[in-house]
Amino acid sequence: MVIKSLLGLLVVVFTLFLTSQAGVVSYRKTQCAGTVHKAFNPACCKWFRVLDDLQTNVLHSTCGDASHSALRIVFHDAIGFSKTKKFGDGADGSIIMFGETELEFAANNGIDEIAGDLKRVADTHGKSYGDIIQFAGAVGVANCAGAPRLKFLAGRPNATRPASEGTVPEAFQSVDTILARMHDAGFSPDELVALLASHTMAAADKVDITIPGTPFDSTPDSFDSQFFIETRLKGVAFPGKGHKRGEVASPLVGEMRLQSDFALARDHRTACTWQSFIKNQTLMNQCFSYAMEKLSVLGQNTKHLLDCSEVIPHPESLKTIPHLPAGKTMADVEQACAATPFPKLPTAIGPATIVKPVESCDGDGN
Ligand code: HEM
Ligand SMILES: *[C@@H]1O[C@H](CO)[C@@H](O)[C@H](O)[C@H]1NC(C)=O
Ligand SMILES: *[C@@H]1O[C@H](CO)[C@@H](O)[C@H](O)[C@H]1NC(C)=O
């Protein structure tokens, strides 16, 4: 009994010692001046001010175009990293710092708007561009119902050089080329599939500029598994008449299907993981979070970063279940994973689904 409580005391003392070593005051929250927020770690208070500015002026606290773009720029900044070549420094904000170079790359078409918005917020609050990108990405994801609450680490130094052209995968590239590029950046095929959960809160403005805001799934305003379902509806592998480079026909009216997503959904190296997320949101979110954590610190020394994850808002939970869009049945699904059949799903009730475009000025009332 005495020994037990002594041990308990030791554990408590040791924990206190550890937390004070890390400079973290973890029992009581401190009111962050000038905001309605409280933080466990006062050093994270500054990020609550950035949060308010971002949500009010850029992301509009909605899972719309700006939150989507904030996630896309996370990928395009961080993936400029290579294990083998002497270029690029990963999640370092180089896409903003050296925007005049990187934003000219074809693969970064359309990133300029969010890059400009985030630059302004970073400059206002004295934050590095690497940090603002990762922060806005995590907040943008949190604006989407069903999403995981991603980690946020602060303290990336500013980039010192631009990334090279060719590091960002493109929709017209083969699965071999895409997997090789991801491998060179340190990501397995499974991790790429997990990262591609991002395309559930996504639309294309630049693939076909005549139809801006065309979504990759029927629910671009939520972080559900519909993207993994709808990419497996039957279709053809090659662009048809009227389709742009990197795009193939989607069987849903109003939906955009990238050639790379079509191929990755069916390739033997990726199809089973793709399908495993459909009926397991927990698994999808865990794998996405893990892969995003890796992406967010590519090329960074995490020992020099401070965990301010407490600043990231809590996402709302999903109100829908995984389903086939109205008008589609299990007969419209393509089998691709040899080991496991495609999961059985109910069909949404109603007339054949027509996917609506994502408005480009969400939150502005137009
Ligand atoms: C195989 C790799 C990938 C390819 C080929 C690819 C390609 C694309 C393309 C062509 C677009 C449309 C851009 C436009 O026309 O406006 C897009 C949008 C998007 N991508 Fe990817 N992507 C890939 C991986 C990723 C990853 C790993 C992430 C995040 C972790 C991501 C996040 C997004 C988001 C959020 C959008 C929507 C942007 C918006 O709606 O404004 N993508 N992607
Ligand atoms: C990053 O660079 C910008 C622009 O030069 C500068 O205003 C900012 O102070 C720098 N931030 C850090 C953390 O070095
Ligand atoms: C869903 O994935 C989790 C792992 O994140 C696992 O523990 C659980 O068993 C899975 N659920 C089902 C129904 O397969």
Side-chain angles (χ1 to χ4, degrees):
M1 196 55 200
V2 175
I3 291 181
K4 248 194 176 169
S5 31
L6 261 180
L7 265 178
L9 189 69
L10 263 178
V11 170
V12 170
V13 168
F14 191 61
T15 320
L16 286 181
F17 174 74
L18 279 181
T19 33
S20 67
Q21 284 290 295
V24 179
V25 182
S26 54
Y27 335 96
R28 206 171 289 156
K29 286 191 178 184
T30 316
Q31 182 69 45
C32 296
T35 79
V36 300
H37 308 283
K38 289 180 175 161
F40 282 115
N41 187 345
C44 294
C45 272
K46 291 172 289 188
W47 283 102
F48 276 113
R49 284 190 279 278
V50 184
L51 175 71
D52 290 345
D53 188 353
L54 256 186
Q55 291 283 52
T56 307
N57 300 310
V58 181
L59 306 178
H60 310 298
S61 302
T62 60
C63 185
D65 185 40
S67 289
H68 300 171
S69 301
L71 175 56
R72 184 174 175 225
I73 197 175
V74 163
F75 180 53
H76 289 227
D77 184 41
I79 205 65
F81 174 83
S82 169
K83 289 192 297 183
T84 53
K85 309 233 168 51
K86 293 259 178 284
F87 62 63
D89 301 303
D92 61 356
S94 63
I95 199 167
I96 293 180
M97 186 70 123
F98 300 100
E100 72 282 4
T101 304
E102 292 193 33
L103 295 174
E104 292 302 314
F105 301 162
N108 288 335
N109 195 0
I111 302 262
D112 48 335
E113 197 177 329
I114 190 72
D117 288 345
L118 296 185
K119 180 178 190 308
R120 186 192 52 74
V121 176
D123 290 346
T124 303
H125 298 271
K127 297 302 183 193
S128 74
Y129 301 139
D131 278 356
I132 199 70
I133 288 175
Q134 296 308 319
F135 184 66
V139 175
V141 166
N143 284 338
C144 303
R149 192 170 173 234
L150 298 178
K151 271 197 177 178
F152 170 63
L153 305 182
R156 291 165 194 75
N158 268 334
T160 53
R161 55 178 180 171
S164 300
E165 185 155 23
T167 59
V168 180
E170 300 215 58
F172 53 78
Q173 290 174 335
S174 69
V175 171
D176 282 355
T177 301
I178 292 171
L179 292 183
R181 172 75 273 273
M182 293 305 289
H183 176 79
D184 177 50
F187 291 87
S188 68
D190 280 350
E191 288 168 340
L192 170 62
V193 175
L195 288 175
L196 278 167
S198 56
H199 281 184
T200 190
M201 47 174 286
D205 287 329
K206 303 295 181 185
V207 174
D208 183 344
I209 55 168
T210 66
I211 46 168
T214 304
F216 296 151
D217 76 351
S218 57
T219 53
D221 56 353
S222 67
F223 201 90
D224 57 15
S225 64
Q226 288 306 119
F227 166 73
F228 291 114
I229 297 172
E230 293 167 23
T231 45
R232 280 283 285 280
L233 293 169
K234 285 176 184 166
V236 286
F238 296 103
K241 203 168 175 288
H243 291 119
K244 304 292 178 190
R245 193 170 184 226
E247 180 197 11
V248 295
S250 166
L252 292 185
V253 177
E255 184 170 281
M256 163 91 46
R257 178 178 279 185
L258 296 180
Q259 196 171 356
S260 49
D261 290 335
F262 174 92
L264 287 159
R266 287 157 181 77
D267 190 276
H268 67 96
R269 289 161 287 186
T270 43
C272 294
T273 303
W274 197 275
Q275 151 177 321
S276 71
F277 294 147
I278 290 173
K279 274 187 137 175
N280 195 336
Q281 182 81 18
T282 310
L283 182 67
M284 180 177 105
N285 285 4
Q286 272 176 5
C287 294
F288 176 70
S289 301
Y290 171 78
M292 284 297 290
E293 188 178 337
K294 198 166 155 178
L295 189 67
S296 72
V297 295
L298 269 190
Q300 298 291 324
N301 183 345
T302 50
K303 284 200 197 86
H304 300 153
L305 302 181
L306 175 70
D307 192 334
C308 285
S309 303
E310 61 172 309
V311 182
I312 305 303
H314 289 268
E316 279 176 25
S317 51
L318 267 186
K319 284 166 199 75
T320 53
I321 57 163
H323 58 270
L324 295 170
K328 299 291 173 193
T329 69
M330 287 297 290
D332 297 309
V333 170
E334 202 147 44
Q335 294 302 326
C337 168
T340 331
F342 191 88
K344 288 216 163 32
L345 299 173
T347 293
I349 296 161
T353 303
I354 297 176
V355 182
K356 286 193 286 296
V358 173
E359 301 285 337
S360 63
C361 299
D362 53 285
D364 293 355
N366 59 86

